[in-house]
Amino acid sequence: MAKTLVIAEKPSVAQDIVRALTPVAGKFDKHDDYFENDTYVVTSAVGHLVEIQAPEEFDVKRGKWSFAHLPVIPPYFDLKPVDKTKSRLNAVVKLAKRKDVADLVNACDAGREGELIFRLIQQFAGGAKPLDKPVRRLWLQSMTPQAIRDGFEKLRSDKQMEGLANAARSRSEADWLVGINGTRAMTAFNSRDGGFFLTTVGRVQTPTLAVVVEREEQIRKFVSRDYWEIHASFLAEAGEYQAKWFDPNWKKNPDDAEQKADRVWSQREAMAIADAVRGKAATVTEESKPTTQASPGLFDLTSLQREANGRFGYSAKTTLALAQSLYERHKALTYPRTDSRHLPEDYLPVVRNTMGMLAGSGMKHLAPFAQQAMDDGYVKPSKRIFDNAKVSDHFAIIPTLQAPSGLSDAEQRLYDLVVRRFLSVFFPSAEFLVTTRISQAVGHSFKTEGKVLVKPGWLAIWGKEAAAEVEGAKEGDKGQSLVPVKPGEMVRAETVEPRGLKTRPPARYSEATLLTAMEGAGKFIEDDELREAMQEKGLGTPATRAAIIEGLINEKYMLREGRELIPTAKAFQLMTLLRGLGVEELSRPELTGDWEYKLAQMEHGKLSRDEFMREIAEMTKRIVRKAKEYDRDTVPGDYATLQTPCPNCGGVVKENYRRYACTGAKGDAEGCGFSFTKIPAGRAFEQDEVEQFLRDKRIGPLEGFRSKAGWPFTAEIALKYSDEDRNWKLEFDFGKEDNPAETGELVDFGGQEPLGACPKCGARVFEFGSNYVCEKSVPTPQQPAPSCDFKSGKVILQQPVAREQMAKLLASGKTDLLDKFVSMRTRRPFKAFLAWDGEAGKVNFEFEPRASKFPPRKGAPGKPAAKEPAARYAPAAKGAAKKAPAKKAAPAKKAAAKAPRKPGAGLKPSPQLAAVIGAEPVARTEVIKKLWDYIKAHGLQDAQNKRAINADDKLLAVFGKPQVTMFELAGIVGRHLSAE
């Protein structure tokens, strides 16, 4: 009997399809990679199983980073399996080729990427010949069982999906052509003078980066200007009210956005206005009018990401992951990767049912509003919500008919946000009474605006009531409820004062504002309708924007600091290169937004695939040609002049495209020849780093370097004087400094703050070179002969160990979980704690305990598992004994009797120490704890210096002096403990 093969994008979706079809198609049998019954075989990919590549005869293996082999524009593309998922691909292909499989259903995600995933699998399965089995498309907006069954009733034909398939392939091939050729061309250009400087570019990621860099350039060039506002307090019979001076005749200046009606640009003028008005009578005119404010529209993915970033600080990637989980796993939201903010016109009954579900749900804070919407008939046809013309392949994100349970805190927050927005669009507009009051005294006008919420409407859903004042009220600005003034009443200016302020640069992009800018192809558009008109020409799509931002951060083109996105020196270097070469295609957001628009046209059958790909090929050739033919010595750009002088001659050090170089005493000559690269080992200097490096002649440890073989490494870099060149040179310093214990050179820690007590001897631990060392491990003026060997690196397996982490290890025995270690053997990153291993006498790795994969044995219910020691990752000690041959197991009782004593247990305190902590044998760590309990109970910490401990009569006998520091405690305790 012929069967239908259904291919979903993820295993979880395949399971949902099976659950939905079982009641109508019969029970499924579960196999390793698929489910099967008499009608269907259901399987899934795990994301992309196949990717495109250049055919063998066009692929450049050697010299691919050379201009000689560019551009690479193959006449067609081959396919290759994704290495990690080859077994899954083979399983899906085997099913597709089964003789009893007559046709296929594409059940991948409803969008461009889902279409591509399926089409590439289909092509790969066919090999040289097409698979030649009919294909239909399952198009799901919701993952509820009923929605899935409805989808199978309305499968789309292969012909209907042709436009989307063409757009999906074209996007993939365009990204390959521009990414491969652009990256190789820019890398070849940057590597002309030796070295290897990988410079990645992308069709969408680079224009997005250009938006962020342009904003940062505006901030850096911004020159703040002083201005004044004049604030007054007027006294009426009913009380005081605030007002702000303004010029009623002011007109907007198109050349100066900082000019505003309430700003005065000289202190003298501001003082003159204040002095003229203070204490004078004023006439009052006012106008009150009602205004309304409608709810914002339903969410598409970008507006949801923007709102979640602004409210909760979620990254775009996090919001997408949460929304995808609420769609796939919990079936609580409709399809999230949408660019529409409207619903289909026939969706009215579904919305009413959804309102009913919310009204009966356990969400006590929102259920009453859903009930109110039903009782008062709020859900009705409206083009603002239901409009087929504004629904693309997907509609807005709204709750489904399935009430979720078991949500995480983050999922609950996002679900609540979508539900509130969904309820809001059906509620009436909020109604305000806005009063504008003008107070005039001696020819000067002052404005006061009051805004009072009369009927909250949809704002009630967000916790705003009519009696409350408007949120964020400011003096003399909209927000406050005004004291009344009688008609014809004269008021008096009680206090009038000028306030000196400064203009501010534009704000850095957050993910919320960058998503808005990407939506408008680089233009920050606040107006919803205008933004909607522009979004077809945006940078990327709602489904890809989060990945683009994350990609730029992973490539170290941007940093995320709090909610700000800050471009790095690497980003500025790339933009300088693209502008200098005149490669507009890669640096102008509007142009790339136009490519995105053409892909959307192709989806709807309004543009041919061949025409689009011809344009992309021409764009690629132009990018390569511009880089290949550029023959000037440097690339023009806006370069910095460093504050720190040349260490060799005291001249001015300036930046050029490739280096920082001395330009002589006046900054206009070749200088003394001192220079160093801007990108040592593939890592670009930041502006503050290069100033510190030049000033201190050393910086680090820094991350992000790459060896010639491409391996990442962490190191310090130093400027060292070369007698041969008679100049300073940049060198990497991997911490292999001379050992002072061998050279006899004395080390002075006098100006340093200690990190804590040495776990071996109790002396103080300091920073020294590339290590943290015990002061007694190196020759010092106080102790020329070292007596301790405690030392731990500042960088361990590429993981920088911050000063505060080492201090934590010394205080508590363990650091926080650190996540940037890289194994020397496998080159894979791993996470671990650094912990003091008293038995081994050194710092070792300690790993998180792993949860057991197996349930407890039936024979021992309720018995707790034996606590295993934390795993450690460290080389064996030199001279360690060979493993002894195994002995026969002794009887249980004997084994128990011979159990080894815990390390450190059974130490006997001296009579002096026993007077403080008791005479019982005790572990060394317990002694310190008991001592601290005693010190705190008797208030013996010094009031002025918390690190010092004052001795009472009992402690004086232990310390031998009236005061000690906390760093001395471990050493003192050691002298008062002995083995039993």
Side-chain angles (χ1 to χ4, degrees), residues 289-313:
K289 59 181 180 181
T291 62
T292 59
Q293 181 186 342
S295 158
L298 294 168
F299 283 127
D300 63 0
L301 178 59
T302 303
S303 58
L304 178 60
Q305 287 170 321
R306 217 167 37 230
E307 190 79 5
N309 182 254
R311 284 181 180 273
F312 314 130

mmCIF file of all heavy atoms in Angstrom, residues 289-313:
data_model
loop_
_atom_site.group_PDB
_atom_site.id
_atom_site.type_symbol
_atom_site.label_atom_id
_atom_site.label_comp_id
_atom_site.label_asym_id
_atom_site.label_seq_id
_atom_site.Cartn_x
_atom_site.Cartn_y
_atom_site.Cartn_z
ATOM 1 N N LYS A 289 -8.490 69.996 26.032
ATOM 2 C CA LYS A 289 -9.187 69.204 25.011
ATOM 3 C C LYS A 289 -8.962 67.720 25.265
ATOM 4 O O LYS A 289 -7.890 67.309 25.731
ATOM 5 C CB LYS A 289 -8.743 69.601 23.605
ATOM 6 C CG LYS A 289 -7.260 69.432 23.333
ATOM 7 C CD LYS A 289 -6.939 69.894 21.917
ATOM 8 C CE LYS A 289 -5.447 69.740 21.631
ATOM 9 N NZ LYS A 289 -5.073 70.199 20.299
ATOM 10 N N PRO A 290 -9.986 66.940 24.975
ATOM 11 C CA PRO A 290 -9.838 65.488 25.168
ATOM 12 C C PRO A 290 -9.018 64.875 24.029
ATOM 13 O O PRO A 290 -9.102 65.317 22.879
ATOM 14 C CB PRO A 290 -11.280 64.980 25.139
ATOM 15 C CG PRO A 290 -12.032 65.999 24.340
ATOM 16 C CD PRO A 290 -11.330 67.311 24.525
ATOM 17 N N THR A 291 -8.212 63.893 24.345
ATOM 18 C CA THR A 291 -7.469 63.143 23.327
ATOM 19 C C THR A 291 -7.602 61.656 23.628
ATOM 20 O O THR A 291 -7.893 61.278 24.762
ATOM 21 C CB THR A 291 -5.971 63.508 23.299
ATOM 22 O OG1 THR A 291 -5.391 63.180 24.561
ATOM 23 C CG2 THR A 291 -5.741 64.960 22.988
ATOM 24 N N THR A 292 -7.383 60.863 22.605
ATOM 25 C CA THR A 292 -7.440 59.408 22.795
ATOM 26 C C THR A 292 -6.124 58.782 22.339
ATOM 27 O O THR A 292 -5.390 59.362 21.521
ATOM 28 C CB THR A 292 -8.586 58.776 21.987
ATOM 29 O OG1 THR A 292 -8.386 59.067 20.597
ATOM 30 C CG2 THR A 292 -9.931 59.298 22.438
ATOM 31 N N GLN A 293 -5.844 57.608 22.880
ATOM 32 C CA GLN A 293 -4.641 56.878 22.495
ATOM 33 C C GLN A 293 -5.016 55.414 22.311
ATOM 34 O O GLN A 293 -5.452 54.750 23.259
ATOM 35 C CB GLN A 293 -3.561 57.019 23.589
ATOM 36 C CG GLN A 293 -2.268 56.301 23.258
ATOM 37 C CD GLN A 293 -1.278 56.332 24.421
ATOM 38 O OE1 GLN A 293 -1.401 57.151 25.335
ATOM 39 N NE2 GLN A 293 -0.313 55.440 24.402
ATOM 40 N N ALA A 294 -4.871 54.919 21.092
ATOM 41 C CA ALA A 294 -5.207 53.522 20.800
ATOM 42 C C ALA A 294 -4.045 52.618 21.180
ATOM 43 O O ALA A 294 -2.888 53.058 21.253
ATOM 44 C CB ALA A 294 -5.525 53.365 19.320
ATOM 45 N N SER A 295 -4.348 51.366 21.400
ATOM 46 C CA SER A 295 -3.302 50.381 21.713
ATOM 47 C C SER A 295 -2.387 50.195 20.506
ATOM 48 O O SER A 295 -2.835 50.302 19.360
ATOM 49 C CB SER A 295 -3.947 49.054 22.074
ATOM 50 O OG SER A 295 -3.045 47.989 21.902
ATOM 51 N N PRO A 296 -1.106 49.876 20.736
ATOM 52 C CA PRO A 296 -0.259 49.467 19.595
ATOM 53 C C PRO A 296 -0.827 48.202 18.968
ATOM 54 O O PRO A 296 -1.602 47.473 19.590
ATOM 55 C CB PRO A 296 1.104 49.186 20.248
ATOM 56 C CG PRO A 296 1.054 49.828 21.597
ATOM 57 C CD PRO A 296 -0.388 49.856 22.009
ATOM 58 N N GLY A 297 -0.423 47.911 17.715
ATOM 59 C CA GLY A 297 -0.932 46.736 17.009
ATOM 60 C C GLY A 297 -0.425 45.439 17.612
ATOM 61 O O GLY A 297 0.393 45.423 18.534
ATOM 62 N N LEU A 298 -0.907 44.326 17.059
ATOM 63 C CA LEU A 298 -0.441 43.008 17.495
ATOM 64 C C LEU A 298 1.053 42.859 17.204
ATOM 65 O O LEU A 298 1.622 43.612 16.409
ATOM 66 C CB LEU A 298 -1.233 41.912 16.762
ATOM 67 C CG LEU A 298 -2.726 41.823 17.099
ATOM 68 C CD1 LEU A 298 -3.433 40.921 16.098
ATOM 69 C CD2 LEU A 298 -2.942 41.327 18.523
ATOM 70 N N PHE A 299 1.658 41.878 17.828
ATOM 71 C CA PHE A 299 3.100 41.674 17.652
ATOM 72 C C PHE A 299 3.409 40.908 16.375
ATOM 73 O O PHE A 299 2.748 39.907 16.058
ATOM 74 C CB PHE A 299 3.675 40.860 18.815
ATOM 75 C CG PHE A 299 3.869 41.633 20.087
ATOM 76 C CD1 PHE A 299 3.329 41.167 21.277
ATOM 77 C CD2 PHE A 299 4.612 42.803 20.116
ATOM 78 C CE1 PHE A 299 3.514 41.846 22.468
ATOM 79 C CE2 PHE A 299 4.802 43.502 21.294
ATOM 80 C CZ PHE A 299 4.252 43.029 22.472
ATOM 81 N N ASP A 300 4.437 41.365 15.639
ATOM 82 C CA ASP A 300 5.181 40.482 14.759
ATOM 83 C C ASP A 300 6.465 40.138 15.520
ATOM 84 O O ASP A 300 6.637 40.575 16.660
ATOM 85 C CB ASP A 300 5.462 41.125 13.393
ATOM 86 C CG ASP A 300 6.344 42.373 13.490
ATOM 87 O OD1 ASP A 300 6.748 42.751 14.609
ATOM 88 O OD2 ASP A 300 6.622 42.985 12.444
ATOM 89 N N LEU A 301 7.367 39.365 14.922
ATOM 90 C CA LEU A 301 8.537 38.932 15.694
ATOM 91 C C LEU A 301 9.427 40.108 16.082
ATOM 92 O O LEU A 301 9.876 40.214 17.228
ATOM 93 C CB LEU A 301 9.349 37.896 14.900
ATOM 94 C CG LEU A 301 10.623 37.417 15.614
ATOM 95 C CD1 LEU A 301 10.309 36.786 16.961
ATOM 96 C CD2 LEU A 301 11.396 36.436 14.739
ATOM 97 N N THR A 302 9.673 41.023 15.138
ATOM 98 C CA THR A 302 10.586 42.132 15.427
ATOM 99 C C THR A 302 10.045 43.028 16.531
ATOM 100 O O THR A 302 10.784 43.417 17.441
ATOM 101 C CB THR A 302 10.852 42.953 14.148
ATOM 102 O OG1 THR A 302 11.368 42.087 13.143
ATOM 103 C CG2 THR A 302 11.865 44.057 14.412
ATOM 104 N N SER A 303 8.745 43.358 16.487
ATOM 105 C CA SER A 303 8.186 44.224 17.534
ATOM 106 C C SER A 303 8.152 43.496 18.876
ATOM 107 O O SER A 303 8.335 44.112 19.929
ATOM 108 C CB SER A 303 6.788 44.719 17.145
ATOM 109 O OG SER A 303 5.912 43.631 16.912
ATOM 110 N N LEU A 304 7.969 42.178 18.867
ATOM 111 C CA LEU A 304 8.021 41.401 20.118
ATOM 112 C C LEU A 304 9.436 41.401 20.683
ATOM 113 O O LEU A 304 9.630 41.583 21.893
ATOM 114 C CB LEU A 304 7.548 39.964 19.859
ATOM 115 C CG LEU A 304 7.584 39.014 21.076
ATOM 116 C CD1 LEU A 304 6.690 39.520 22.202
ATOM 117 C CD2 LEU A 304 7.192 37.598 20.678
ATOM 118 N N GLN A 305 10.422 41.214 19.824
ATOM 119 C CA GLN A 305 11.821 41.240 20.279
ATOM 120 C C GLN A 305 12.183 42.614 20.834
ATOM 121 O O GLN A 305 12.868 42.732 21.849
ATOM 122 C CB GLN A 305 12.750 40.880 19.114
ATOM 123 C CG GLN A 305 12.698 39.409 18.745
ATOM 124 C CD GLN A 305 13.426 39.110 17.442
ATOM 125 O OE1 GLN A 305 13.361 39.898 16.489
ATOM 126 N NE2 GLN A 305 14.107 37.988 17.387
ATOM 127 N N ARG A 306 11.672 43.662 20.171
ATOM 128 C CA ARG A 306 11.963 45.029 20.608
ATOM 129 C C ARG A 306 11.363 45.277 21.985
ATOM 130 O O ARG A 306 12.001 45.822 22.885
ATOM 131 C CB ARG A 306 11.350 45.982 19.577
ATOM 132 C CG ARG A 306 12.160 47.211 19.312
ATOM 133 C CD ARG A 306 11.717 47.964 18.104
ATOM 134 N NE ARG A 306 10.295 47.997 17.885
ATOM 135 C CZ ARG A 306 9.720 47.705 16.726
ATOM 136 N NH1 ARG A 306 10.443 47.332 15.704
ATOM 137 N NH2 ARG A 306 8.411 47.781 16.590
ATOM 138 N N GLU A 307 10.109 44.883 22.169
ATOM 139 C CA GLU A 307 9.404 45.116 23.432
ATOM 140 C C GLU A 307 10.033 44.311 24.564
ATOM 141 O O GLU A 307 10.202 44.797 25.676
ATOM 142 C CB GLU A 307 7.925 44.730 23.262
ATOM 143 C CG GLU A 307 7.032 45.153 24.411
ATOM 144 C CD GLU A 307 6.647 46.631 24.372
ATOM 145 O OE1 GLU A 307 7.003 47.318 23.400
ATOM 146 O OE2 GLU A 307 5.999 47.081 25.319
ATOM 147 N N ALA A 308 10.389 43.052 24.284
ATOM 148 C CA ALA A 308 10.981 42.196 25.317
ATOM 149 C C ALA A 308 12.372 42.693 25.708
ATOM 150 O O ALA A 308 12.775 42.571 26.860
ATOM 151 C CB ALA A 308 11.054 40.751 24.825
ATOM 152 N N ASN A 309 13.085 43.270 24.759
ATOM 153 C CA ASN A 309 14.394 43.838 25.078
ATOM 154 C C ASN A 309 14.241 45.072 25.959
ATOM 155 O O ASN A 309 14.963 45.242 26.946
ATOM 156 C CB ASN A 309 15.145 44.203 23.791
ATOM 157 C CG ASN A 309 16.532 44.761 24.064
ATOM 158 O OD1 ASN A 309 16.763 45.960 23.928
ATOM 159 N ND2 ASN A 309 17.451 43.911 24.451
ATOM 160 N N GLY A 310 13.257 45.926 25.620
ATOM 161 C CA GLY A 310 13.038 47.140 26.403
ATOM 162 C C GLY A 310 12.512 46.857 27.800
ATOM 163 O O GLY A 310 12.930 47.481 28.768
ATOM 164 N N ARG A 311 11.596 45.872 27.929
ATOM 165 C CA ARG A 311 10.968 45.596 29.230
ATOM 166 C C ARG A 311 11.812 44.679 30.114
ATOM 167 O O ARG A 311 11.934 44.886 31.311
ATOM 168 C CB ARG A 311 9.591 44.947 29.022
ATOM 169 C CG ARG A 311 8.517 45.911 28.588
ATOM 170 C CD ARG A 311 7.181 45.217 28.422
ATOM 171 N NE ARG A 311 6.166 46.157 27.999
ATOM 172 C CZ ARG A 311 5.438 46.904 28.824
ATOM 173 N NH1 ARG A 311 5.612 46.793 30.118
ATOM 174 N NH2 ARG A 311 4.537 47.749 28.360
ATOM 175 N N PHE A 312 12.370 43.617 29.507
ATOM 176 C CA PHE A 312 13.035 42.586 30.314
ATOM 177 C C PHE A 312 14.536 42.481 30.055
ATOM 178 O O PHE A 312 15.219 41.722 30.739
ATOM 179 C CB PHE A 312 12.405 41.208 30.033
ATOM 180 C CG PHE A 312 10.903 41.191 30.033
ATOM 181 C CD1 PHE A 312 10.191 40.619 28.987
ATOM 182 C CD2 PHE A 312 10.182 41.748 31.086
ATOM 183 C CE1 PHE A 312 8.803 40.597 28.969
ATOM 184 C CE2 PHE A 312 8.787 41.740 31.072
ATOM 185 C CZ PHE A 312 8.105 41.165 30.021
ATOM 186 N N GLY A 313 15.035 43.201 29.041
ATOM 187 C CA GLY A 313 16.458 43.091 28.714
ATOM 188 C C GLY A 313 16.796 41.829 27.936
ATOM 189 O O GLY A 313 17.958 41.483 27.792
#
